[in-house]
Amino acid sequence: MSDIQFGGHTIKSHGHELAKLHKYDWMILLLLALIDGFLYIIEPFHRYTNADMMRDLKYPFKVHSTIPIWAVAVYAVILPCTIFYIYYLHRKNVYDLHHAVLGIMYSMLIAAVITDSIKAAVGRPRPNFFWRCFPDGIEVYDPVSGDVECTGLHKFIKEGYKSFPSGHTSFSFAGLGFLAWYLSGKIKAFDRSGHSAKLCIVLLPYLVAALVGVSRVDDYWHHWTDVFAGAVIGSVVSSLCYLQFFPFPHDRNGWGPYAYFRTLEENGFQRSLASMSDEEEIQDLEARGRRH
């Protein structure tokens, strides 16, 4: 396909300029990644846990999760970015591709920093904490305070104090929630035409994210309240990050990023489109872009 399509805004023609314009945004992403790495390394708060409290923390300890953490990166980041790129191949709109990738990366990393900060500060024991703490089943408590004195492996004990909120769930809703917003804009799910099939497409990523949260309860790695809190964090963050770059999906120009329409206006493409349908508007912008 020709580079001069849909205003000629391709990776080749505008990619370098766009990356340079947002270099500080990408630098902040790196900083967020470093902060989250630090939060993962530090020792979480060890919440007081006595023998009575341990009765509710004796669920089976499965070392391996149904959904490993590496899988989260696949379905919450790589899959959405692949969809972003496929749309780019169709429309040749580098602004859409860049801001979608930047937005989902911010969504994931902001959710990660918030989630891991709370994990480290709260120090809530996981439902399987007993077997993490006492792998041989022999309980040991401080004779004065009654607090647990764990005899298990440090890495299992450390993770055992990171129940609230659920990281898998918050990351899933952060990535897949962003994808749901993106899809709703692209397919015009809220164009008041009443096509319910579009709504099913938009809700599918949320269903997948919810099932990930359910798996964390089924694996006895989290309480249901941990999963609920993770879902709220991921949903709120993904919504804010999407709306930072894209209009609401029900808006007239909800299918594209703010930066794209601003660029068209700066290049003399601004005009009244009040009498045109969305499809006519797209065709008009494409034609005007090719002439330009």
Side-chain angles (χ1 to χ4, degrees), residues 70-112:
W70 61 263
V72 178
V74 173
Y75 66 74
V77 180
I78 296 178
L79 174 61
C81 287
T82 300
I83 294 175
F84 303 157
Y85 186 68
I86 291 173
Y87 183 81
Y88 166 76
L89 293 178
H90 175 61
R91 284 296 184 186
K92 289 291 193 271
N93 187 340
V94 70
Y95 292 96
D96 185 277
L97 175 63
H98 178 272
H99 291 322
V101 173
L102 185 62
I104 199 170
M105 293 302 296
Y106 262 98
S107 182
M108 291 293 292
L109 286 173
I110 290 175

Side-chain angles (χ1 to χ4, degrees), residues 115-184:
T115 300
D116 289 336
S117 296
I118 298 174
K119 276 179 179 288
V122 173
R124 184 183 190 182
R126 297 184 186 271
N128 54 26
F129 183 72
F130 177 90
W131 296 107
R132 289 173 175 271
C133 188
F134 307 125
D136 56 4
I138 301 175
E139 303 179 47
V140 181
Y141 298 92
D142 184 280
V144 178
S145 66
D147 195 9
V148 295
E149 293 186 349
C150 295
T151 58
L153 294 176
H154 177 262
K155 64 177 182 179
F156 292 150
I157 298 170
K158 178 182 178 181
E159 281 299 312
Y161 282 105
K162 293 184 177 182
S163 187
F164 183 87
S166 168
H168 276 63
T169 308
S170 66
F171 303 157
S172 297
F173 275 88
L176 294 176
F178 189 97
L179 176 61
W181 277 91
Y182 183 86
L183 291 175
S184 65

Side-chain angles (χ1 to χ4, degrees), residues 11 22 31 46 48 52 56 92 112 115 123 128 147 150 158 214 224 232 234 237 269-270 279 287:
I11 294 176
H22 290 274
L31 177 61
H46 287 207
Y48 175 81
D52 291 335
D56 296 326
K92 289 291 193 271
T115 300
N128 54 26
D147 195 9
C150 295
K158 178 182 178 181
V214 171
W224 75 266
V232 171
V237 171
F269 294 145
Q270 185 177 18
E279 289 300 325

